[in-house]
Amino acid sequence: MRSRDAARWRAIAPGRVNLIGEHTDYNGLPVFPIAIDRDVRIEFRVVDDPVVRLDSPSARFAPFAFQLKRPIEPAAQGDWSNYVRAAARGLLEHGISLKRGIEGTVSGDAPIASGLSSSSALVVASALALLKANGVDVDDGAARGDGSRAMSRLELAALMARAERFVGLEGGGMDQAACLHGVEGHALRIEFDPLRVTPVPVPDGWRWVVASSLVRAEKSAGARGRYNERARQCREALAASVGAVPGGQAPNSGNRATNTAPAYNDLVSAADPGGLLRRVRRILSPVLFRRFRHVVTEGRRVALAEQAMRDVNMHRFGQLMVRSHESLRDDYEVSTGELDAIVGVALEAGAAGARLTGAGFGGCAVALCDDSTVAPVMEALTARFYKPRLGGPPTTDMLFVAKPGGGAGVQEM
Ligand code: GLA
């Protein structure tokens, strides 16, 4: 049965570019991304039966339909409908009744499988569409005069971060939070446990050039195993490092039992980071030590980078991006030859900083440029990275300037 309500809606959810703080979110440490002016959108109408029917103008994405009833079974691994199913499943498991469904079309200009979180954008857009269809507002979380309460953006971001794990990646909460909390012209400090988002203005005259490595980074496919392996290694390294902190317990651990594993958060704020790393090095295997060192040093870089941006010291911010890239390349081992090449070309052409962005294993790099270096950096990347590989210039999906944009929402069309 179709609704007589002919209204059409558009749920829009942006992708994100992480500026610094990579592989820190699932370790409970802050990240510092921007939501970007590239999005995934679902144009839909509400239907009276509990069903989702979506298609896409792209032949790569076959039309699908599923019932909004538990259990929502996954489609085959790699099937794009799994991101929509994940959103529906997350809402249902949270106790939200989804009596009405949606039918419509998914499109957008966020590059796919590029490490820019188009998948989380699809999850968030799907959730917003389903909530709209079922009369649940999403707001800033303030209590309402009539006693009812909408779902807050923070609640929805945390819920969708858990829901997306249904697709397989043991992700942290960065992507969904950035997507829902984007603020034009601002970077976002996102903290976890509990989730908090603090916008920080990006100084005028600075731009973020995004460059694809031309290697796909699909969360549901190849990179998943290596990503999840890193998450496991971080947990192991933390548990094993307990003996390396004074008295066998974490600094700042208050009245915790002496055998309590420290949190990365405690370690990042340790008074003597060099001493901590020396002690931990004696305990951990070389691989686990490198993972540990990346997480702890990256955690410190996020705080320093945020301060640099607030101080309008963007050259310092750029240096921290370069340190971050080196750590991801050498200690975390998630870079690729292509990402290293992009970073090298961008820096030689005058970028203030450059690094891989997102999980790595392919995907994109981001370069920090001022107004005078944007064009030379993009020209150098075209000539030295893209033309030799493509035989011609890159598309605007491969190389573009990303603007810090606003957060996800639903509009009437
Ligand atoms: C992916 C995950 C995020 C985050 C990054 C790495 O994008 O979805 O949660 O862990 O990788 O920083």
Side-chain angles (χ1 to χ4, degrees), residues 321-406:
M321 291 174 73
V322 174
R323 296 288 95 76
S324 167
H325 183 78
E326 290 164 352
S327 177
L328 289 159
R329 182 191 63 200
D330 302 336
D331 277 355
Y332 221 64
E333 296 175 282
V334 294
S335 190
T336 62
E338 291 85 356
L339 288 164
D340 295 343
I342 291 173
V343 168
V345 170
L347 292 175
E348 279 169 32
R355 56 184 290 282
L356 71 84
T357 184
F361 313 110
C364 288
V366 57
L368 169 61
C369 297
D370 64 20
D371 285 339
S372 69
T373 50
V374 171
V377 165
M378 291 177 83
E379 279 157 22
L381 287 169
T382 299
R384 292 174 52 195
F385 185 81
Y386 293 105
K387 283 194 174 158
R389 288 170 175 79
L390 299 170
T395 66
T396 53
D397 265 5
M398 296 172 185
L399 182 64
F400 61 95
V401 176
K403 289 204 186 74

Side-chain angles (χ1 to χ4, degrees), residues 16 18 21-23 25-26 169 171-175 219 227 358-359:
R16 63 98 187 95
N18 192 16
E22 216 65 83
H23 291 275
D25 59 354
Y26 53 82
L169 197 92
M174 163 167 66
D175 306 343
K219 273 187 185 174
Y227 180 100

